[in-house]
Amino acid sequence: MRKILIPVVAFGLAWACDDSETLPTGIGGGQTIDTTEVVDTTTIDTTIVDTTTIGGSEITIAVATWNVERFPIASNTVSQMKKLLDDSDLDIIGFQEITSRSSFNQLDDIVTGFEGAFVDVSSSIDYAFMINTDVISDFETSIILNNDSYAFPRPPGVLSFMLNGDQYRVINVHLKCCGGGNNPERRESASDQLYAFIQTNYRNDHVILLGDFNDDIFDEVDEGENNSSWMR
């Protein structure tokens, strides 16, 4: 397999940063946009997560992941998100917690330079992507690992596209929330299944894994800690 890239920080990490700012009124998602770095949350900054050299030329894809907290959480959510997206330099944004397909379609109709893709996983909170069509003109979405609701209350959604002859897969996840009970074990099971699926099915592809893991990610697991160590 060429790459597994994880453009994600543990959800809520921005709260630990003294200089993190809240999003404009009407934007959900726990007041943070999750990317490979904690960004200034009044804008969406470009975060480069995949730089690939193919045939001597460098290809850069800038990707962000954003749990938008039951989108649309307010009456002005769509207009506020349009402002953020129009000012961004991103190529792909993966969203979690889309509760209204019609509101997402409204955003898709008015945002500049992006095409939206809604991923219906038969949940009250679904996935979506925004794709920069100047970079990626042809793509498709699918759902994987949809036969185990214990591990995946919301099965992962996948954005697939070709770029300069190479296959890319962007996997969007929203794992089981909360500590206590069997929730950490459910996330661990989901993580192990994701790893095995990628190794088996996407071994020769460029893979970007993003989303809301509802967990802290450490190199090692400490007994009793709410974390996962599946990223090998």
Side-chain angles (χ1 to χ4, degrees), residues 19 27-28 37 39 64 102 118 129 143 148 153 207 220 228 230:
D19 59 350
I27 300 292
E37 300 173 356
V39 301
S102 61
F118 182 84
F129 293 94
I143 300 169
D148 185 353
V207 178
E220 297 180 0
S228 296
W230 65 278

Side-chain angles (χ1 to χ4, degrees), residues 176-204:
K176 183 67 179 72
C177 78
C178 311
N182 60 2
N183 292 326
E185 287 75 20
R186 293 177 70 176
R187 290 191 292 274
E188 182 177 2
S189 175
S191 300
D192 287 340
Q193 289 186 53
L194 275 166
Y195 181 80
F197 183 91
I198 292 169
Q199 291 292 319
T200 300
N201 296 280
Y202 297 159
R203 190 170 189 85
N204 296 317

Side-chain angles (χ1 to χ4, degrees), residues 54-111:
I54 300 173
S57 61
E58 188 177 86
I59 299 172
T60 297
I61 305 172
V63 180
T65 178
W66 188 359
N67 183 321
V68 286
E69 191 180 9
R70 298 190 175 275
F71 170 90
I73 200 169
S75 60
N76 64 339
T77 298
V78 170
S79 61
Q80 292 286 11
M81 285 181 65
K82 169 183 163 51
K83 294 176 184 178
L84 289 174
L85 294 172
D86 284 349
D87 290 340
S88 77
D89 292 318
L90 293 165
D91 300 313
I92 300 170
I93 307 104
F95 298 102
Q96 304 85 48
E97 294 204 21
I98 303 293
T99 64
S100 171
R101 184 171 190 164
S102 61
S103 294
F104 181 77
N105 289 342
Q106 180 185 355
L107 176 64
D108 186 20
D109 288 340
I110 62 175
V111 74

